[in-house]
Amino acid sequence: MSPEAQLAPQASVLNGYAGLYMLPMLAAGGKGVMHGGSFSEVYLRIYHHWQVGEAEQAQRLHQALLPYIQRWMSHCEYIIQVEKTILQRRNIIATDCCRHPGWQPTTDNRAMIDQFLTQFSL
């Protein structure tokens, strides 16, 4: 546990920013991650591995996730569109339409989403 966490052990520290720093935060005594809702299962898999002492598996899965969230977090409108597109592709919502202004996914963006859905079996 980090010295900061030791000062307030009752605090529940959560990591935001799509979990980019999820594992260092957990190592410092953090309790969880705030993320979008389109692929919560991936974060749960990472967290489960961490909780049962499988740090290497957690690290491997987090490293696989990083290229996606690093790119998608490059712009607020981009991650909103990606989240909605993933939810639509998973048949959780009917449309990925976003309010304006919005991010228009390119063919490359859609290919990356396809790769993500396949890689994480979503």
Side-chain angles (χ1 to χ4, degrees), residues 70-115:
Q70 285 172 331
R71 181 167 173 186
W72 295 336
M73 287 299 294
S74 65
H75 190 282
C76 182
E77 297 292 334
Y78 188 13
I79 188 66
I80 292 168
Q81 182 64 62
V82 167
E83 289 276 353
K84 290 194 78 173
T85 300
I86 290 171
L87 287 167
Q88 179 195 28
R89 295 286 305 280
R90 297 183 68 195
N91 295 314
I92 296 170
I93 61 174
T95 177
D96 68 349
C97 180
C98 287
R99 50 130 177 85
H100 292 287
W103 187 278
Q104 294 301 311
T106 65
T107 301
D108 187 46
N109 298 147
R110 291 191 184 279
M112 186 177 194
I113 290 169
D114 289 341
Q115 178 182 338

Side-chain angles (χ1 to χ4, degrees), residues 13-72:
V13 178
L14 300 175
N15 173 241
Y17 211 63
L20 281 172
Y21 308 104
M22 181 178 182
L23 293 181
M25 178 273 313
L26 289 172
K31 303 297 182 199
V33 64
M34 296 178 288
H35 53 82
S38 67
F39 49 94
S40 299
E41 302 93 327
V42 178
Y43 294 100
L44 286 172
R45 289 179 210 157
I46 295 167
Y47 188 73
H48 172 75
H49 286 306
W50 183 266
Q51 289 298 102
V52 299
E54 299 172 345
E56 188 175 311
Q57 292 91 326
Q59 181 69 29
R60 205 169 23 250
L61 187 53
H62 191 255
Q63 286 296 315
L65 180 61
L66 279 176
Y68 298 101
I69 58 178
Q70 285 172 331
R71 181 167 173 186
W72 295 336

